[in-house]
Amino acid sequence: GENVEQHPSTLSVQEGDSAVIKCTYSDSASNYFPWYKQELGKRPQLIIDIRSNVGEKKDQRIAVTLNKTAKHFSLHITETQPEDSAVYFCAASRGGSYIPTFGRGTSLIVHP
Amino acid sequence: NAGVTQTPKFQVLKTGQSMTLQCAQDMNHEYMSWYRQDPGMGLRLIHYSVGAGITDQGEVPNGYNVSRSTTEDFPLRLLSAAPSQTSVYFCASRVTGVDGYTFGSGTRLTVV
């Protein structure tokens, strides 16, 4: 089955800095890569996703890149703000009826 | 739409007791899944369903049962609670053609 590794487990940055979270996956057939944000005590929420036919996708201050050859994808957050503090999960799946496999999460702390 | 509704929000059980965690969605989603979230372990799949009458095991199914008699409901049953089942449980659903999950608000379960 799919195996998703996520690094780092904790990331601490100053407000205004950029943050990068990296994930690798094992199943070359995976073609859908979502990212979820989970604020303290809340449910995970989808913030951005990318499919294997696209190398990069942006949405305001967040972007995701995908390298299919190396089987890794990354979440980039620019101009971080305190409200970006949360746990971020990456996931990978084959899409369709397949169930995604999640990484273990990254706790992002943005210091004012 | 209420989205994905989970009940109860909090529960304390004694070892050996049984209980059912409820999950209901009103979005006519075919796919529903149960995850448990433990510190440092990410979201681990317990059971999932791709439609009414169809269920399958995930990564950590032992000690749990599910059924899917209707599209809307996907209850998770703990047969004989153990302290190792202390966790936060999330139900999630999605519709065919849309790969991102909608999560419920979670159930925090403590087994003493």
Side-chain angles (χ1 to χ4, degrees):
Chain A
E2 176 67 275
N3 182 47
V4 177
E5 299 283 341
Q6 183 172 349
H7 299 280
S9 57
T10 304
L11 179 58
S12 183
V13 301
Q14 290 296 127
E15 183 177 359
D17 288 350
S18 295
V20 181
I21 303 170
K22 300 181 179 181
C23 290
T24 61
Y25 61 99
S26 62
D27 186 355
S28 57
S30 288
N31 59 14
Y32 177 67
F33 307 92
W35 287 88
Y36 291 82
K37 176 183 180 182
Q38 185 181 28
E39 297 176 353
L40 188 63
K42 301 289 183 63
R43 72 191 77 189
Q45 292 193 299
L46 180 69
I47 56 171
I48 194 168
D49 56 15
I50 191 168
R51 300 184 186 278
S52 59
N53 59 348
V54 175
E56 182 176 3
K57 183 177 179 180
K58 290 182 180 180
D59 184 2
Q60 298 182 338
R61 295 187 297 107
I62 61 173
V64 58
T65 59
L66 171 65
N67 183 326
K68 288 191 297 181
T69 303
K71 289 191 284 188
H72 68 70
F73 56 111
S74 300
L75 178 70
H76 304 253
I77 306 174
T78 58
E79 300 173 13
T80 54
Q81 300 168 4
E83 52 264 39
D84 294 329
S85 296
V87 177
Y88 291 81
F89 293 98
C90 64
S93 83
R94 294 187 181 187
S97 62
Y98 290 92
I99 305 300
T101 298
F102 285 85
R104 292 194 174 192
T106 296
S107 177
L108 173 64
I109 303 165
V110 180
H111 299 279
Chain B
N1 286 349
V4 180
T5 302
Q6 285 185 242
T7 56
K9 293 190 181 303
F10 302 94
Q11 183 70 49
V12 178
L13 287 180
K14 293 183 179 179
T15 297
Q17 287 185 318
S18 62
M19 79 160 294
T20 300
L21 306 185
Q22 302 291 345
C23 176
Q25 51 87 13
D26 60 357
M27 301 172 285
N28 203 31
H29 285 181
E30 297 94 333
Y31 300 96
M32 297 186 75
S33 299
W34 275 102
Y35 292 90
R36 61 176 289 173
Q37 183 175 26
D38 302 292
M41 299 298 292
L43 293 159
R44 291 185 294 171
L45 182 66
I46 305 172
H47 285 285
Y48 65 96
S49 170
V50 298
I54 306 170
T55 64
D56 207 346
Q57 296 181 351
E59 178 186 356
V60 289
N62 292 343
Y64 308 95
N65 274 355
V66 292
S67 60
R68 185 94 181 269
S69 57
T70 67
T71 300
E72 294 77 21
D73 299 299
F74 191 42
L76 178 72
R77 297 183 188 84
L78 279 70
L79 309 174
S80 177
S84 60
Q85 294 179 303
T86 293
S87 187
V88 179
Y89 292 84
F90 286 101
C91 179
S93 72
R94 69 175 179 89
V95 67
T96 301
V98 177
D99 289 308
Y101 270 117
T102 299
F103 282 83
S105 57
T107 294
R108 183 174 294 274
L109 176 68
T110 302
V111 182
V112 297

